Amino acid sequence: MEGENTTMTLENLLSFSYFHKYFINSSDYGYKGTIQEMRKKEFSRIADVTYLDHIGTTLFPESLLQTFMADLSTHVYGNPHSNNLSSRLTHDTIEYVRYRILQHFNASPEDYSVIFTSGSTAALKLVAEIFPWTPRSSSNAGSYFCYLTDNHTSVVGIRENMKMLYVSTVPVEPEDMLQSESPTTELLNDSTFHLFSYPALSNFSGTKYPLSWIKKIQTGEILPIRAPGKWCVLLDAASFVSTSPLDLAVYQPDFVTISFYKIFGFPTGLGALIVSNCIANFLRKNYFGGGTAAAYLSKEDFFVPKDSISDRFEDGTVPFLDIISLKHAFDTLQKLTGGMENIMNHTHALASYTYSVLSALRYNNGQPVVHIYTGSEVRTIDVQGPIINFNVMDENGGTIGYSQAGHICGDNMDLIDGRPTGSVRISFGFMSTFEDAKAFLTFIVDTFIKKSSQRTVQIMDYEKFPIISLSQSESSEEKGIDSSGKITGSTRVTQSQILSNLSTVERACKCKVRKTMTTNNKAIKLSHIYIYPIKSCAAFQVSRWPVAEQGLLFDRNWMIVNENGVCLSQKQEPRLCLIYPSIDTIKNIMKIQAKGMPSIEIPLDDNLTIQISQNKVCGDRVNTYDCGEEAAHWLFCFLSHKYRLIRQSSSFHRYAGAQRKGPVGASSSSLSLVNEAQYLLINTASIFHLSQQIPFREYTDPADQMTQRFRANLVVDSKIPFQEEEWNELFIDCLHFKVSGKCTRCQIICINQTTGEKKREIFQTLASSREGKTTFGMYLQNSTCSSYPSLLTVGSEVYFTLRDPIEDCSEN
């Protein structure tokens, strides 16, 4: 259906009335109408974020932390391995939590024991270490470790341990297990132990594998392979138990692995191995330490393990405060939801609805918008969990890679030979709402489905701040730089030296240049120069500017970080673009301004008396220092969050490609806090060409706003679109640049840099017009033939050399 009928159909599909009518009963969704109150009270921090990665980790409710902190404020908990009242309290509380875990899974302490681990991966690794394997030999086939191919990586990784133990490993397809039912009880008389592992819920597709397999494998009714011996079952339940009840009184695997953050969101780094007491006496353990020994002698080979199964296999002091928090986690989850059955019904309703709408979406030519990976077309509650894994397709049936969605800057390895290297997974949790599902579906519809209707957008007013022009120092004599601008006495130039010698650095370039003109015989000009003193904040436009070793002077010298020291970008805080930094070289300050805020001033000189700390930028560690409380308070008042302004230490040097390519070479370029390279160059002809292809013309920006979206340092005025992609070297004024590659864009280009408003049309157009890739602009590096400092000036002619055609072919 097209036009108005298609719009109406989409509106109906995305309505709560449709969801309520076809996908929920009175008890299936919302915990009897309390979900909105829960979200408001317990998860206010989510705000307008659509969080759909609950299978990765769910989110903790605020009251969990409140009750836990009240507990810690009331009681004194000591090391459980000591012998005093505080330690006894800890020990007894931990034992209560073990019981509470078993109670949650309807298991008896007579049947099962709880061993705390650092997570489900550690629990799986522990099973590999303690299982009673029989090595294969010339006279004995030994034990087998079999695993379902749909297992998590942590299960598949066990096979590496098996190589060292001379144990055979067999991967098993799900279809083979479903077809393997045949009585084989005569094989169970052998005393050799074998292990089969499978997930209760697939992390990839959300398929729920039959729990009935457990008993059938243990009794020999079905087997992964025909091998004589006693078959044990390792059930990876970490994802399953986050939204579904597991009854260990009905289904009794030998081992169950879980991670608590998947259920509660807190604590992280804590999991458990639930072990059947029937297998416990056969388990082996070589190492002992930290509370696992009842008695031992250091000078003799004498060791007696503790009687308790839990104590025997928990090396060292367990994270007892995290374990104690589990009591409050179970209480809180029960209070908010009424139990796992309700959570299963709630999340199943949301996932079923989302799957139904998503699978029904079509382009105008009838092609499906997504390809969903699922183990079953029928999403009944017993065969499918709240996971949807898919790839978005284009109108011709080809896969749209994640780089077209603005995955991360500089990453474009999303398709190899037309096949995706990954997929998109969404998953629902106990606090997910219909609004989350609708927001996701609306994103898919608005981003990928072609619409014929016209829409309008309201452009917000903004205040332009005056740009402080570059001022030159009168002094031309400064130790470290001679009258010709060459460096003397030191291999590095300080920022103060550069600022005080701007009048001395204009000189003729001694590099040999092959002058190349455009086809209409008009020279290419440098039309704009932008620096970005604070990473991800607004541009500071200048007509002339000095170039230092790391690029344009003061470009990305500062960045804004959260309380954990994590660098912010406009992806997390679009309003960063409304912060306007400017450099005043006469007053030697950076001024920071924003609409409705008083301006503040930050000194340009390094404050070497402040303690240096470390932060990460694009995976690299950088030495930084904090710019103080005044800046932090200003950021809090404007952005309503506790952020800090930090600056890269001038004594620290970071190099392009060092982390990815190994040791730093003589030709490596020194970087500020930029992502990839010292400079980013774009071409006005390329911008105009792109703008002409954007549908719905009322969405397009004026030329200057369009340029601002791409956050380049250098803008050249060429007449040929994408001519810059063929350049190998650039010569501007007295500077020589090496072109180091194309810039793969991310979602930041969707943000209007003057309003902070986000629209996706530009990104979609870029992806569709660039053969599925979102490259725009070229990275540049300083060449080693130039000395510093030097000046760049708007209006200067741009000369270039072309790339070797052989290099172009090798890249394809």
Side-chain angles (χ1 to χ4, degrees):
M1 301 178 71
E2 297 181 357
E4 183 178 352
N5 290 334
T6 302
T7 303
M8 288 298 296
T9 300
L10 289 173
E11 289 177 353
N12 290 337
L13 287 174
L14 298 178
S15 67
F16 184 80
S17 59
Y18 176 83
F19 168 63
H20 186 275
K21 181 177 180 180
Y22 293 104
F23 294 94
I24 65 175
N25 296 318
S26 58
S27 61
D28 282 349
Y29 170 79
Y31 314 110
K32 298 181 179 180
T34 63
I35 183 64
Q36 295 301 333
E37 181 183 356
M38 179 203 300
R39 279 289 288 258
K40 182 178 179 181
K41 181 180 178 181
E42 299 282 357
F43 302 95
S44 60
R45 67 186 184 279
I46 298 178
D48 58 352
V49 174
T50 302
Y51 185 86
L52 292 174
D53 189 29
H54 294 273
I55 213 66
T57 181
T58 197
L59 304 176
F60 59 83
E62 292 182 17
S63 60
L64 189 165
L65 297 188
Q66 292 168 358
T67 55
F68 177 41
M69 291 304 298
D71 186 343
L72 296 185
S73 300
T74 305
H75 301 97
V76 177
Y77 293 106
N79 190 313
H81 292 162
S82 299
N83 187 15
N84 54 60
L85 291 177
S86 298
S87 299
R88 189 64 192 178
L89 174 63
T90 304
H91 176 272
D92 292 345
T93 307
I94 290 175
E95 293 309 303
Y96 169 79
V97 173
R98 293 189 207 273
Y99 173 77
R100 187 66 182 274
I101 293 169
L102 294 177
Q103 184 184 44
H104 181 78
F105 296 112
N106 196 27
S108 167
E110 283 72 35
D111 297 327
Y112 284 96
S113 297
V114 175
I115 300 171
F116 287 113
T117 64
S118 63
S120 59
T121 295
L124 292 164
K125 185 171 180 287
L126 180 60
V127 173
E129 294 170 350
I130 66 177
F131 191 78
W133 305 106
T134 299
R136 63 177 176 271
S137 63
S138 57
S139 59
N140 190 337
S143 297
Y144 282 92
F145 169 60
C146 301
Y147 61 89
L148 208 66
T149 54
D150 198 11
N151 263 301
H152 189 274
T153 310
S154 301
V155 174
V156 180
I158 293 177
R159 70 187 184 191
E160 299 304 307
N161 291 58
M162 300 302 97
K163 293 177 182 178
M164 296 183 291
L165 297 174
Y166 298 99
V167 172
S168 300
T169 300
V170 180
V172 181
E173 296 288 345
E175 297 79 10
D176 295 337
M177 285 300 297
L178 293 170
Q179 299 170 6
S180 68
E181 296 195 18
S182 59
T184 56
T185 53
E186 72 277 2
L187 297 175
L188 301 181
N189 296 326
D190 192 281
S191 59
T192 304
F193 283 93
H194 309 292
L195 183 64
F196 176 68
S197 178
Y198 76 99
L201 175 72
S202 168
N203 277 282
F204 178 77
S205 65
T207 300
K208 288 183 177 179
Y209 290 103
L211 296 178
S212 59
W213 284 359
I214 297 169
K215 185 175 182 180
K216 290 180 179 180
I217 292 171
Q218 291 169 334
T219 59
E221 185 176 344
I222 62 171
L223 290 178
I225 59 170
R226 293 180 64 87
K230 300 182 184 298
W231 280 92
C232 300
V233 176
L234 166 58
L235 185 71
D236 180 6
S239 296
F240 180 85
V241 298
S242 64
T243 55
S244 297
L246 175 62
D247 191 337
L248 293 181
V250 177
Y251 306 103
Q252 298 183 320
D254 299 276
F255 306 94
V256 182
T257 59
I258 57 177
S259 281
F260 293 108
Y261 69 89
K262 290 182 179 289
I263 308 173
F264 310 117
F266 180 88
T268 59
L270 181 63
L273 174 64
I274 303 177
V275 182
S276 169
N277 293 338
C278 294
I279 189 69
N281 290 331
F282 295 96
L283 302 179
R284 303 167 180 170
K285 189 169 186 289
N286 296 322
Y287 174 82
F288 70 91
T292 62
Y296 73 95
L297 294 175
S298 59
K299 294 184 178 181
E300 298 181 23
D301 186 11
F302 175 76
F303 160 65
V304 178
K306 284 192 173 180
D307 292 333
S308 166
I309 295 172
S310 301
D311 290 340
R312 199 183 308 167
F313 294 103
E314 290 173 349
D315 295 331
T317 301
V318 294
F320 53 90
L321 295 182
D322 288 337
I323 293 172
I324 291 170
S325 74
L326 293 179
K327 171 189 179 299
H328 305 285
F330 281 114
D331 291 344
T332 302
L333 193 67
Q334 182 68 30
K335 179 181 177 181
L336 294 177
T337 67
M340 296 306 300
E341 194 79 26
N342 293 337
I343 294 174
M344 180 173 63
N345 291 332
H346 175 81
T347 55
H348 177 71
L350 290 171
S352 297
Y353 163 72
T354 306
Y355 172 85
S356 176
V357 176
L358 196 61
S359 59
L361 295 179
R362 295 289 187 274
Y363 290 107
N364 289 337
N365 63 0
Q367 284 283 352
V369 177
V370 299
H371 174 76
I372 301 177
Y373 306 99
T374 179
S376 173
E377 294 298 324
V378 181
R379 295 185 67 91
T380 57
I381 203 166
D382 58 329
V383 301
Q384 194 73 35
I387 296 175
I388 303 174
N389 201 313
F390 64 95
N391 269 312
V392 181
M393 316 300 287
D394 61 27
E395 291 177 287
N396 299 316
T399 302
I400 297 178
Y402 62 73
S403 71
Q404 294 184 47
H407 178 65
I408 58 173
C409 297
D411 186 351
N412 60 3
M413 292 298 293
D414 53 356
L415 296 173
I416 297 179
D417 294 331
R419 301 182 66 182
T421 58
S423 59
V424 180
R425 183 186 70 184
I426 65 169
S427 52
F428 296 93
F430 73 87
M431 82 297 298
S432 297
T433 63
F434 167 76
E435 287 72 23
D436 293 328
K438 181 178 179 180
F440 165 72
L441 292 168
T442 301
F443 161 75
I444 295 294
V445 170
D446 289 347
T447 305
F448 298 104
I449 296 181
K450 304 295 183 181
K451 293 184 178 180
S452 59
S453 59
Q454 298 290 312
R455 296 181 293 177
T456 60
V457 63
Q458 180 181 359
I459 303 298
M460 298 172 59
D461 293 330
Y462 65 95
E463 179 179 343
K464 289 188 176 179
F465 294 99
I467 295 176
I468 303 174
S469 62
L470 173 65
S471 301
Q472 297 186 10
S473 170
E474 295 181 357
S475 172
S476 61
E477 298 296 329
E478 180 75 23
K479 184 178 180 180
I481 304 178
D482 63 19
S483 58
S484 67
K486 295 182 179 179
I487 302 171
T488 61
S490 174
T491 58
R492 302 200 183 277
V493 184
T494 66
Q495 292 168 345
S496 60
Q497 287 173 331
I498 293 174
L499 289 174
S500 63
N501 284 275
L502 296 181
S503 62
T504 69
V505 298
E506 299 182 67
R507 60 193 184 279
C509 181
K510 297 180 180 179
C511 300
K512 293 182 179 180
V513 179
R514 188 183 102 186
K515 296 184 178 181
T516 307
M517 300 297 181
T518 55
T519 55
N520 62 0
N521 229 18
K522 290 184 179 180
I524 300 173
K525 300 284 188 179
L526 178 63
S527 61
H528 299 82
I529 300 173
Y530 298 101
I531 67 167
Y532 304 84
I534 305 177
K535 186 177 175 69
S536 270
C537 291
F540 173 46
Q541 184 177 355
V542 295
S543 57
R544 311 175 74 210
W545 200 253
V547 171
E549 185 180 2
Q550 292 182 333
L552 291 171
L553 187 62
F554 299 121
D555 184 52
R556 276 97 167 182
N557 275 199
W558 292 263
M559 65 181 177
I560 297 173
V561 300
N562 66 13
E563 289 182 287
N564 296 322
V566 177
C567 176
L568 294 179
S569 74
Q570 290 181 25
K571 294 176 186 177
Q572 298 88 22
E573 276 283 4
R575 296 187 71 217
L576 289 178
C577 69
L578 305 181
I579 296 176
Y580 293 81
S582 57
I583 303 296
D584 189 327
T585 59
I586 296 177
K587 295 182 179 180
N588 202 35
I589 60 168
M590 174 176 68
K591 180 180 287 188
I592 304 176
Q593 299 171 285
K595 186 176 181 179
M597 293 288 294
S599 63
I600 60 171
E601 298 178 353
I602 306 296
L604 294 182
D605 292 333
D606 274 346
N607 190 338
L608 301 179
T609 63
I610 295 181
Q611 183 177 0
I612 299 296
S613 59
Q614 284 200 340
N615 296 83
K616 274 197 171 184
V617 174
C618 294
D620 296 331
R621 291 191 177 275
V622 294
N623 286 354
T624 62
Y625 64 85
D626 194 287
C627 293
E629 295 302 324
E630 181 185 9
H633 179 71
W634 191 95
L635 292 172
F636 177 78
C637 292
F638 183 65
L639 298 172
S640 301
H641 288 284
K642 292 182 178 180
Y643 296 141
R644 310 289 300 188
L645 179 67
I646 63 174
R647 184 180 186 182
Q648 181 177 354
S649 172
S650 61
S651 62
F652 178 82
H653 296 276
R654 170 179 170 241
Y655 294 93
Q659 183 188 46
R660 294 173 289 278
K661 300 178 183 178
V664 176
S667 61
S668 297
S669 299
S670 179
L671 301 180
S672 60
L673 300 175
V674 294
N675 285 1
E676 297 284 337
Q678 294 172 327
Y679 310 86
L680 176 61
L681 176 144
I682 59 176
N683 178 2
T684 55
S686 304
I687 293 173
F688 179 77
H689 179 81
L690 179 65
S691 67
Q692 294 303 300
Q693 301 181 64
I694 299 175
F696 316 122
R697 296 301 303 162
E698 62 268 33
Y699 275 102
T700 59
D701 293 336
D704 59 336
Q705 292 184 19
M706 184 78 162
T707 301
Q708 291 288 336
R709 287 178 181 264
F710 291 95
R711 298 179 63 79
N713 297 111
L714 309 178
V715 183
V716 297
D717 189 11
S718 168
K719 306 301 180 186
I720 304 176
F722 301 106
Q723 178 187 19
E724 65 277 11
E725 295 185 357
E726 299 179 0
W727 296 345
N728 183 53
E729 298 171 290
L730 282 186
F731 304 89
I732 310 174
D733 291 327
C734 58
L735 282 157
H736 177 201
F737 302 93
K738 181 70 176 178
V739 180
S740 59
K742 300 177 183 178
C743 175
T744 299
R745 311 314 297 235
C746 66
Q747 290 283 354
I748 287 180
I749 67 171
C750 298
I751 299 172
N752 186 315
Q753 295 296 300
T754 59
T755 66
E757 187 178 24
K758 188 174 184 179
K759 294 293 182 182
R760 305 183 187 279
E761 284 78 6
I762 291 179
F763 197 96
Q764 295 167 14
T765 302
L766 180 62
S768 61
S769 65
R770 303 287 287 159
E771 299 181 351
K773 299 300 179 184
T774 55
T775 55
F776 194 94
M778 305 301 292
Y779 287 131
L780 307 180
Q781 306 282 10
N782 287 334
S783 173
T784 55
C785 76
S786 294
S787 56
Y788 312 107
S790 300
L791 277 175
L792 276 177
T793 305
V794 168
S796 298
E797 291 190 1
V798 177
Y799 305 106
F800 59 86
T801 62
L802 295 175
R803 298 172 62 191
D804 189 338
I806 296 178
E807 294 181 4
D808 293 339
C809 294
S810 65
E811 289 186 2
N812 297 331

